[in-house]
Amino acid sequence: MVFLAITPSGLREALREAARTSSAVWCGADAISEQDFAALKGKGVTRFAYALGARDALVIEGALDTVGQHHPDDVVWVEAAASAP
């Protein structure tokens, strides 16, 4: 299983779950600073060089394609929030 975190709070949740399951975590550049990311070296976290927070469909699709190249056949959980009515 792989987690794709979009926001800082989503990344925190993904990291908690990944610690339990030894899952990989990917995130956008806007989900974590370079300094905080450096502190996670060796913990299965990959940071894109670009932001995902705008949730642009083409950007997310590209990110998923990249994740799929590195984790073929793995299930990818993408952070999403329920829409308000």
Side-chain angles (χ1 to χ4, degrees):
M1 179 181 336
V2 180
F3 294 97
L4 179 60
I6 309 292
T7 66
S9 61
L11 177 59
R12 284 189 297 274
E13 291 181 39
L15 290 171
R16 271 195 305 272
E17 187 62 26
R20 280 188 339 95
T21 62
S22 299
S23 298
V25 176
W26 288 62
C27 66
D30 50 345
I32 188 171
S33 69
E34 287 184 40
Q35 182 179 7
D36 289 341
F37 173 67
L40 294 175
K41 186 173 182 170
K43 300 199 181 209
V45 180
T46 303
R47 180 181 183 261
F48 285 103
Y50 54 89
L52 300 176
R55 298 180 189 269
D56 178 274
L58 291 176
V59 174
I60 299 295
E61 184 179 320
L64 286 170
D65 182 56
T66 300
V67 171
Q69 291 173 28
H70 292 271
H71 302 276
D73 302 321
D74 282 356
V75 171
V76 180
W77 289 83
V78 179
E79 177 189 348
S83 299

